[in-house]
Amino acid sequence: MIPKIILGKGPKAVRRTIGYLFGPGRANKHTDPHLVASWNNFAPDPGRSPRRPQKEVEDQLATQLDQPVQMLGDKAPKHTVWHCPVRAAPEDPILTDAQWAEIARRIVAAAGIAPDGDEDACRWVAVRHADDHIHIAATLVRQDGRRPKRDHDQRAVQREARQIEVDYGLRRLKPGDGTAAKRPTSKEHFKAKRLGQDATSREILRLRVRRAVAAAASEAEFFALLKATGVDVRPKTEPSGDVTGYSIALPGDVNKQGEPIWFAGSTLAGDLSLPKIRQRLADTGPDPVATPPGDPWHQATAATERIPRHLTHGDEHAAQGQLVALGAALDLLPLVAPAAVKGELERAAAAFERATRSRIAADLDSARVLRRSVQAIWRTPAPGGDGSGLAMLIDAALTAVAFARHWHRTRQHAQQEAATEQALLHLQNAYAHVAGPVLNGLAHRTPTLQTKHRYARHIQQSAPEYAERILNDSAWDALAAVLADAEKAGHNMATVLDQAVSQRPMDDARNPARALTWRIQRLGQRHAPGPRAQAAKAPSTPAASAAASPPQPPQARRR
């Protein structure tokens, strides 16, 4: 159940609100509008007065609601209307008028508008014009002339809504921590539908700003990238000439006067204000030392594979910084992915966006490698090659997001935990589509049966707890192929396998065979050590013995 508080101001705010509630709606969505409850239980009902013109009854109701406000004259508050739509979930049962009336009373009591038993409380009405929701409208002057005590009413109303869900057996929403981005209004949704947009202007702009932040290395580049997406940008400049903020507008999104509808960055999301963006760019800017050369897909995957360790062993601020960096990576990934998986990756990024914000301040210093490598992928003309880079990065991201879910769960971040669950579903769909062709292509190059038996013995030695799952997996042929590639490149197969297994435990790997395939593929593309280097790394045993048998895995050597 979703309540949302809207404040109204102006000399005719009450009358406008009543006119809207009993009118057809902006998209003729209002059906049979009528009162289900009011402050005195006998307020005039424009929807149930067939013997009188509806407009006349609307005027009468508005006058009665507004009377305490009018009595104050010039001392009336700036905002005079408290408007709270309360909507049930689509799968919830249809509630009766009596049930909605009781819900309305609980909401106004929790908000401080009309506490239980307070005969001098604010005047209010609850109007129902659809099966799934009501609108509560109240005036913000009590009948004794005082102001209502409605401190933190949004939080109080949300808490009461969570309890109403329990009491009425409704879908239970996740409690928030106040860090969620602002939801689009119903008006924005209807306008998007009229304009033929798949999303509201607010959502479109938020995505474009997030992508520009993820891709930019400086503030100037951030604004340049933002303009390149086709949005209008208006910096907020002080008399001193300093730029302290910005607003953006979507071309074609105009008000009744034909003027662009501007959104400040901070109204799109709390972390998209210019000061927050500047801090993020400064914290994750390039190091004085040049970025080491290498495949950016491999670097991004390695950095993503380190996220679980940050979440389990690092401090909370560094962990939150890793989640911000992972969210930025997911924001850019759809731009370099095949068309067939763009949609799933976009939905994964949109879902995970909620998991990147919490009350914990983010330390982004440890996330520089992931940020720079993903930016390098985005700047590469033909990234991904045969798709293996994208597949291995999504595979690592799946594990990282699963750890993020646990991290948020242990801190009781309910909305963020739910966001990671949604992101996982979309990433799994994208991974299945991308990884399948890559693994099939590798399987076609699988080595001879004799060579595979030799590899199998090494796997049983290096990873005995996973060996059965690996050797019985459909990805075993692909794994054998990348082991053969590593050998052909001059690597010691047993050493590469030991390194891949010891990189991090595979207890959390959804599929050990695939995880090893991507790890060994990355290790195999590194420069192979020469014979002397390999001999130096070998155990201190006679040379003939070392040549006759491969080095033992680390676990065996320790025993």
Side-chain angles (χ1 to χ4, degrees):
M1 179 163 286
I2 304 175
K4 182 177 182 179
I5 296 173
I6 307 164
L7 300 181
K9 62 182 179 179
K12 297 183 179 179
V14 177
R15 185 62 185 87
R16 287 198 307 270
T17 302
I18 295 301
Y20 167 74
L21 296 182
F22 286 95
R26 295 185 177 91
N28 293 317
K29 60 186 182 300
H30 295 180
T31 304
D32 186 26
H34 60 279
L35 287 184
V36 295
S38 66
W39 77 97
N40 58 6
N41 294 321
F42 55 83
D45 184 354
R48 290 290 189 271
S49 301
R51 297 182 180 180
R52 297 171 59 193
Q54 180 174 320
K55 184 178 183 303
E56 179 182 317
V57 184
E58 289 178 9
D59 290 340
Q60 181 184 5
L61 178 58
T63 298
Q64 291 186 17
L65 281 169
D66 209 20
Q67 187 177 19
V69 177
Q70 296 302 319
M71 290 178 63
L72 290 183
D74 295 339
K75 296 181 180 180
K78 176 182 177 182
H79 292 99
T80 57
V81 173
W82 186 91
H83 179 192
C84 181
V86 184
R87 185 179 299 274
E91 63 268 30
D92 285 340
I94 296 177
L95 303 176
T96 65
D97 280 359
Q99 289 173 318
W100 276 118
E102 177 58 26
I103 289 171
R105 293 186 184 96
R106 291 176 62 169
I107 292 293
V108 293
I113 294 295
D116 291 335
D118 188 347
E119 296 182 357
D120 292 326
C122 297
R123 295 184 177 185
W124 61 275
V125 293
V127 180
R128 181 180 189 177
H129 44 50
D131 286 339
D132 63 348
H133 71 281
I134 60 172
H135 287 254
I136 305 171
T139 43
L140 288 173
V141 176
R142 289 166 49 88
Q143 294 179 79
D144 58 11
R146 294 183 295 147
R147 309 286 176 83
K149 295 181 180 180
R150 40 177 291 271
D151 296 337
H152 308 294
D153 55 351
Q154 183 66 59
R155 294 184 187 177
V157 164
Q158 292 292 345
R159 285 196 300 269
E160 187 63 25
R162 303 293 80 77
Q163 186 58 48
I164 290 171
E165 291 163 357
V166 174
D167 296 343
Y168 283 84
L170 307 177
R171 176 187 173 188
R172 299 179 65 176
L173 300 184
K174 305 295 184 181
D177 59 1
T179 61
K182 185 178 179 181
R183 297 173 181 268
T185 64
S186 298
K187 181 180 179 181
E188 289 175 288
H189 279 297
F190 286 119
K191 184 173 185 180
K193 186 176 181 180
R194 291 198 308 272
L195 296 176
Q197 298 174 178
D198 294 333
T200 65
S201 296
R202 181 187 301 276
E203 292 167 316
I204 294 171
L205 292 171
R206 182 186 300 141
L207 173 61
R208 295 187 185 182
V209 173
R210 284 181 61 84
R211 284 179 172 172
V213 174
S218 66
E219 183 177 333
E221 187 178 18
F222 162 70
F223 281 116
L225 290 172
L226 204 52
K227 293 176 181 177
T229 65
V231 303
D232 298 325
V233 182
R234 183 175 66 182
K236 180 183 178 182
T237 306
E238 299 297 326
S240 61
D242 295 333
V243 177
T244 58
Y246 71 99
S247 297
I248 56 176
L250 200 62
D253 184 18
V254 297
N255 57 22
K256 293 180 180 179
Q257 291 73 40
E259 301 167 337
I261 297 178
W262 296 95
F263 293 84
S266 58
T267 65
L268 297 175
D271 58 344
L272 297 183
S273 67
L274 187 57
K276 291 291 182 64
I277 290 173
R278 282 173 171 164
Q279 180 182 359
R280 185 164 160 185
L281 292 173
D283 289 347
T284 58
D287 288 329
V289 181
T291 304
D295 188 327
W297 287 97
H298 290 187
Q299 292 174 352
T301 302
T304 304
E305 284 187 332
R306 290 192 288 271
I307 291 176
R309 180 169 182 81
H310 285 286
L311 296 177
T312 53
H313 300 292
D315 67 72
E316 289 194 330
H317 303 291
Q320 181 65 51
Q322 293 290 321
L323 297 183
V324 172
L326 179 57
L330 294 178
D331 284 335
L332 289 182
L333 216 49
L335 301 181
V336 298
V341 294
K342 278 184 183 292
E344 288 291 357
L345 290 176
E346 285 176 349
R347 287 185 283 273
F352 193 75
E353 181 257 357
R354 180 67 190 96
T356 62
R357 290 191 304 275
S358 73
R359 290 290 180 183
I360 299 171
D363 178 1
L364 299 168
D365 187 61
S366 64
R368 294 189 181 198
V369 173
L370 177 57
R371 177 179 172 83
R372 291 202 306 273
S373 56
V374 172
Q375 288 176 338
I377 291 171
W378 174 70
R379 297 173 195 276
T380 302
D386 61 355
S388 60
L390 179 60
M392 71 173 69
L393 181 52
I394 296 177
D395 184 70
L398 278 164
T399 302
V401 173
F403 270 79
R405 176 178 58 185
H406 178 74
W407 190 82
H408 281 304
R409 179 185 300 156
T410 57
R411 287 153 184 80
Q412 298 182 341
H413 299 165
Q415 290 185 356
Q416 290 90 333
E417 179 189 348
T420 59
E421 291 172 355
Q422 290 296 315
L424 279 173
L425 293 175
H426 297 301
L427 284 174
Q428 286 166 355
N429 292 337
Y431 178 77
H433 192 95
V434 172
V438 176
L439 293 171
N440 289 337
L442 290 171
H444 287 314
R445 299 192 290 102
T446 193
T448 64
L449 190 60
Q450 181 179 4
T451 302
K452 288 174 65 177
H453 283 322
R454 178 165 59 89
Y455 292 164
R457 289 195 298 271
H458 283 294
I459 287 173
Q460 289 166 343
Q461 293 175 344
S462 298
E465 61 271 46
Y466 311 112
E468 183 176 357
R469 290 173 59 193
I470 292 171
L471 299 177
N472 291 326
D473 193 276
S474 60
W476 163 229
D477 286 345
L479 174 56
V482 297
L483 283 168
D485 289 342
E487 276 196 312
K488 291 177 183 177
H491 291 275
N492 182 293
M493 184 276 304
T495 302
V496 169
L497 184 58
D498 286 350
Q499 291 174 345
V501 171
S502 62
Q503 273 186 356
R504 58 172 278 101
M506 291 190 294
D507 295 330
D508 49 56
R510 297 169 302 104
N511 189 307
R514 296 185 182 190
L516 280 178
T517 298
W518 308 132
R519 293 181 190 180
I520 290 170
Q521 190 174 53
R522 295 203 308 277
L523 291 169
Q525 292 185 12
R526 295 178 182 176
H527 179 68
R532 291 185 179 181
Q534 291 193 25
K537 292 182 179 180
S540 56
T541 55
S545 174
S549 60
Q552 294 295 308
Q555 297 91 333
R557 288 199 295 270
R558 284 196 294 270
R559 289 196 297 268

